[in-house]
Amino acid sequence: MIKKKKPINRLKEKVKTAKKRKASSTRWLQRQLNDPYVKRAQSEGRRSRAAFKLIEIDKKFKLLKMKQTVLDLGAAPGSWTEVIVERTRGRVMGVDKLPMDAIDGAELLQFDLMDQESFEELKNIIDGKVDLVLSDMASETTGHKPTDHIRTQGLAELAADYAINFLNPGGAFCSKVFHGGAHDILLKLLKENFTEIKHYKPPASRKESPENYVIAKNFKK
Ligand SMILES: C[S@@+](CC[C@H](N)C(=O)[O-])C[C@H]1O[C@@H](n2cnc3c(N)ncnc32)[C@H](O)[C@@H]1O
């Protein structure tokens, strides 16, 4: 008698709901296990799937160039910083309020960018100007959408302020924003200071996430 082979389950990995695990954690785990970007990040040895967002942004907007000086704001755990080092081999500074494991070729700085002292200290460390300011800064989500939105937009404005203070003429800026894109105050600020402004949601950014990126090129001053 021919034994029927058990069908191989090629469907999505399912996560059993453990008694103590919240439904939201189960959903998160299930999404992680089935996310092709998570799998690719693991196989390529990247620190997080966020690396692919920058790779996709750079494919479209050609922001990263050899020997640039780059400021990466909200850099932890460091997957963007690693991509920047790989693609520029220039001076790369990654800043976050959280600590990060060392990255060869990058200066990692632990500052809360909201603090005025951080601005002054960073200014001394940079000791000149930079060619590109990137920000993937995000606050911890509360689940209350208006609060998360306001906080992330506040961080994008903060990042734009750093860019305006530290960029060389002709430099570029890219920041995470929420929903439709840069809100009015930020957009006005960018229009005053850059000649080219675009919005982009890279495919690696989850569809259900309100996250989006604003890319501003050719700093005027
Ligand atoms: C989405 S993560 C960045 C991921 C990173 N681009 C990567 O590829 O590994 C957002 C980061 O923003 C940082 N952040 C949020 N507010 C900050 C602040 N005020 N100062 C510095 N970093 C901040 C968080 O600590 C967090 O590590």
Side-chain angles (χ1 to χ4, degrees):
M1 196 176 99
I2 302 163
K3 263 191 176 178
K4 257 193 180 176
K5 269 190 184 174
K6 261 192 172 180
I8 300 166
N9 190 0
R10 291 189 197 285
L11 294 173
K12 287 182 175 179
E13 290 202 42
K14 279 196 176 154
V15 178
K16 281 184 189 155
T17 324
K19 267 186 188 159
K20 282 185 184 161
R21 195 186 288 137
K22 279 188 192 166
S24 59
S25 313
T26 306
R27 277 199 302 277
W28 181 86
L29 202 55
Q30 186 140 4
R31 201 178 57 189
Q32 283 292 103
L33 288 171
N34 292 299
D35 183 330
Y37 286 102
V38 171
K39 289 184 180 156
R40 199 174 142 201
Q42 283 163 352
S43 73
E44 291 181 19
R46 303 214 175 256
R47 292 183 182 205
S48 87
R49 70 188 293 295
F52 302 110
K53 298 180 199 172
L54 180 58
I55 290 170
E56 288 165 354
I57 292 170
D58 192 41
K59 188 172 176 199
K60 194 162 171 67
F61 296 96
K62 311 274 178 277
L63 295 175
L64 299 168
K65 300 191 177 80
M66 285 307 275
K67 298 296 167 203
Q68 273 178 329
T69 299
V70 185
L71 192 55
D72 180 18
L73 307 177
S79 66
W80 278 32
T81 313
E82 285 183 331
V83 172
I84 301 163
V85 169
E86 280 163 26
R87 295 188 172 202
T88 66
R89 305 275 159 205
R91 183 174 181 207
V92 180
M93 289 163 277
V95 191
D96 204 287
K97 60 183 179 181
L98 300 176
M100 271 180 279
D101 290 337
I103 296 173
D104 259 1
E107 296 165 49
L108 300 182
L109 309 158
Q110 194 176 353
F111 290 132
D112 185 335
L113 291 157
M114 287 278 198
D115 294 344
Q116 183 59 27
E117 300 97 77
S118 301
F119 178 87
E120 297 303 334
E121 285 191 54
L122 202 52
K123 190 174 171 187
N124 288 333
I125 292 171
I126 295 173
D127 192 24
K129 296 281 179 182
V130 306
D131 304 303
L132 176 64
V133 175
L134 300 174
S135 171
D136 196 25
M137 272 196 284
S139 60
E140 273 172 35
T141 46
T142 61
H144 182 250
K145 282 183 185 164
T147 306
D148 293 339
H149 182 96
I150 289 167
R151 286 189 182 170
T152 301
Q153 298 296 45
L155 288 171
E157 265 180 56
L158 179 73
D161 189 55
Y162 276 89
I164 289 162
N165 276 281
F166 294 139
L167 275 177
N168 274 320
F173 170 65
C174 168
S175 173
K176 189 201 286 288
V177 290
F178 260 12
H179 288 299
H183 60 109
D184 293 351
I185 301 169
L186 179 59
L187 206 54
K188 185 170 176 284
L189 192 66
L190 295 180
K191 279 183 180 165
E192 282 165 6
N193 288 283
F194 295 86
T195 61
E196 211 185 301
I197 295 146
K198 296 265 162 61
H199 285 96
Y200 181 56
K201 184 169 177 77
S205 174
R206 291 188 166 112
K207 280 192 193 76
E208 65 274 23
S209 162
E211 150 192 282
N212 215 293
Y213 289 84
V214 63
I215 295 98
K217 278 184 163 182
N218 200 15
F219 182 57
K220 289 181 197 169
K221 277 185 245 165

